[in-house]
Amino acid sequence: MKRLSSNLTVQVLTAIGLGVLVGGLFPAFGAALKPLADTFISLIKMLIAPIIFLTVVLGIAGMGSLGKVGRVGGKALLYFEIVTTLALAIGIAVANLTQPGAGVQATAQAVLQDSKKTAEAAKFTTQASEMNWVEFFTHIVPDNVVGAFAKGDILQVLLFAVLFGLALNRLGEPAQPLVKTFDRLSHAMFGVLSLVMKLAPIGAFGGMAFTIGKYGLATLLPLGKLMLVVYLTMFLFIFVVLNLILRAYKLRLGPYLSFIKEEILLVLGTSSSESALPRMIDKLERYGCSRSVAGLVIPTGYSFNLDGTSIYLSIAVIFLAQAFNIPLSLTQQLSLIAILVVTSKGAAGVTGSGFIVLASTLAATKTIPVESVALLLGVDRFMSEARAITNVIGNGVATLVIAKSEGEFDEARHQLALQGRDVPEERRPEPVALLPRVEMPHEEEPNQD
């Protein structure tokens, strides 16, 4: 019994249950517990930038051939694009089949007349109008590296880490002392993470109590069909599409989900995929992936492989069209998929990105009024858990696929993980070994005569 009570999975599950009870029975008190979740997520966020930097640098420095770095990155981006496009197409197909927006026209009109909700929607409209691809790409390059770490901007930190890792890779043997120092720092950072994770039940309790206390289960009734469709679609995407992808690489979905159950529950309690990001890198490495692949694919996927968000956005757009009696032709729906492929990448790492992307998509199509997103404000929080969980699971699957395709998957380590045994030192990833130093050509000294 003592061992069971000390299990993190049991603790988080218990905390989520207590959070639902407190939020339901004492709504005001539950809503006031938001700082517990926010503080825990902040503790995780403070570790994301250094962990990503160290993991990516060590992974690239030890990858050997620079061509291999490019190959892994190219494979990852191609996989992300194919799978997220498939998720968008599935979402639109399911929305057309189930018609979740039918019968909510009265609710839709009432929401638009609510000045408070319309004002909130206008805020997202303003943010969406400011988003464009030029700003997105220029923003990836930090004007101050320290500032990128201070702000916790994942894409900026990732870019700097890739460049730094490439530089160490080219230096070869002279960089070995620095690489060993980074390796020790990486272990220390994951040690800090293990301490922070002891507070996970408190964060999950606060997050769930806030959600139920502030929004209440009653808010789900008018849009219950939409929520059901979104949850079922994500369930089918995970257990059909992702399952088939894993089977194609001789892996099974069930053991994988069981291995990351703590991260799934953590995301469920906090409604934030960020809370699981650092742990997923460590978990996938223990599951058999090489450090170099896990360290490169997970952070990149966090920004570009948002399967859950893609499904939600495609269903939400069709739902709003149905709710406001706006018929969409096949051509218009195909155009929506094309636009969502672009806009779903444009709000990576932005708070409230789901709404911002949705508003920017509606603004681009000019078919559905942007203010219509106000209809989703009441239930968005309840769907954010499903989005975040699907994103986390999908990124793990992507990492497994890339590791398998690159021959960077340790089957012996994988079997130990499935048995729930600690990986012995001899089966852990080898210390980073750099290529021999590559001498750079020197320019001839100018003639002093």
Side-chain angles (χ1 to χ4, degrees), residues 272-439:
S272 170
S273 56
E274 289 180 330
S275 60
L277 176 60
R279 287 256 302 186
M280 282 297 290
I281 296 174
D282 182 52
K283 276 291 185 78
L284 267 297
E285 189 178 333
R286 287 167 52 195
Y287 202 64
C289 299
S290 69
R291 172 185 292 186
S292 56
V293 171
L296 192 59
V297 177
I298 288 288
T300 310
Y302 177 79
S303 297
F304 293 98
N305 187 41
L306 306 174
D307 300 333
T309 302
S310 297
I311 291 171
Y312 166 74
L313 289 172
S314 56
I315 293 176
V317 169
I318 302 300
F319 167 81
L320 292 176
Q322 294 167 356
F324 289 91
N325 287 318
I326 302 171
L328 296 176
S329 66
L330 178 61
T331 302
Q332 287 174 313
Q333 293 189 35
L334 291 175
S335 299
L336 276 172
I337 292 177
I339 292 170
L340 283 168
V341 166
V342 176
T343 55
S344 62
K345 309 295 189 297
V350 178
T351 303
S353 60
F355 260 95
I356 295 171
V357 170
L358 182 57
S360 66
T361 303
L362 298 183
T365 57
K366 295 182 173 62
T367 305
I368 305 167
V370 181
E371 294 77 15
S372 64
V373 298
L375 181 60
L376 301 172
L377 286 170
V379 296
D380 182 72
R381 177 78 186 190
F382 291 97
M383 289 189 283
S384 65
E385 288 94 345
R387 292 199 300 265
I389 288 172
T390 307
N391 290 341
V392 166
I393 293 172
N395 280 326
V397 170
T399 307
L400 292 171
V401 167
I402 303 302
K404 275 275 191 174
S405 68
E406 280 293 309
E408 295 281 335
F409 190 83
D410 188 329
E411 188 60 41
R413 200 159 79 241
H414 174 61
Q415 292 302 321
L416 286 171
L418 292 180
Q419 296 166 20
R421 293 162 56 189
D422 289 332
V423 181
E425 286 297 326
E426 60 270 19
R427 293 305 318 169
R428 295 187 184 223
E430 297 270 335
V432 177
L434 296 173
L435 288 173
R437 179 175 179 176
V438 177
E439 293 291 342

Side-chain angles (χ1 to χ4, degrees), residues 33-42 202-204 206-208 269-270 381:
L33 294 176
K34 188 173 185 286
L36 292 178
D38 289 346
T39 301
F40 174 72
I41 293 173
S42 294
I202 297 175
M208 190 57 70
T270 60
R381 177 78 186 190

Side-chain angles (χ1 to χ4, degrees), residues 88-102:
L88 289 168
I90 289 172
I92 285 182
V94 170
N96 278 293
L97 185 65
T98 58
Q99 298 283 309

Side-chain angles (χ1 to χ4, degrees), residues 161-324:
V162 169
L163 295 175
F164 201 95
L166 291 173
L168 289 183
N169 189 297
R170 294 190 69 182
L171 276 174
E173 191 61 34
Q176 191 67 36
L178 180 59
V179 170
K180 288 181 178 177
T181 300
F182 278 5
D183 191 50
R184 295 188 186 101
L185 280 173
S186 177
H187 282 87
M189 282 296 173
F190 279 108
V192 174
L193 178 63
S194 68
L195 294 175
V196 170
M197 286 304 298
K198 295 183 183 300
L199 301 175
I202 297 175
F205 168 72
M208 190 57 70
F210 163 74
T211 299
I212 302 298
K214 180 171 181 178
Y215 298 99
L217 294 174
T219 60
L220 307 181
L221 297 178
L223 303 179
K225 187 176 180 181
L226 171 64
M227 280 199 60
L228 182 63
V229 168
V230 170
Y231 270 79
L232 282 177
T233 306
M234 293 187 186
F235 180 87
L236 291 173
F237 181 80
I238 292 169
F239 286 91
V240 176
V241 176
L242 295 184
N243 188 22
L244 289 174
I245 291 173
L246 284 178
R247 282 187 175 275
Y249 286 87
K250 296 182 172 56
L251 292 168
R252 292 181 298 153
L253 180 68
Y256 161 65
L257 293 181
S258 177
F259 191 73
I260 62 166
K261 60 183 179 295
E262 291 173 355
E263 287 67 38
I264 293 173
L265 290 173
L266 188 59
V267 171
L268 174 65
T270 60
S271 295
S272 170
S273 56
E274 289 180 330
S275 60
L277 176 60
R279 287 256 302 186
M280 282 297 290
I281 296 174
D282 182 52
K283 276 291 185 78
L284 267 297
E285 189 178 333
R286 287 167 52 195
Y287 202 64
C289 299
S290 69
R291 172 185 292 186
S292 56
V293 171
L296 192 59
V297 177
I298 288 288
T300 310
Y302 177 79
S303 297
F304 293 98
N305 187 41
L306 306 174
D307 300 333
T309 302
S310 297
I311 291 171
Y312 166 74
L313 289 172
S314 56
I315 293 176
V317 169
I318 302 300
F319 167 81
L320 292 176
Q322 294 167 356
F324 289 91

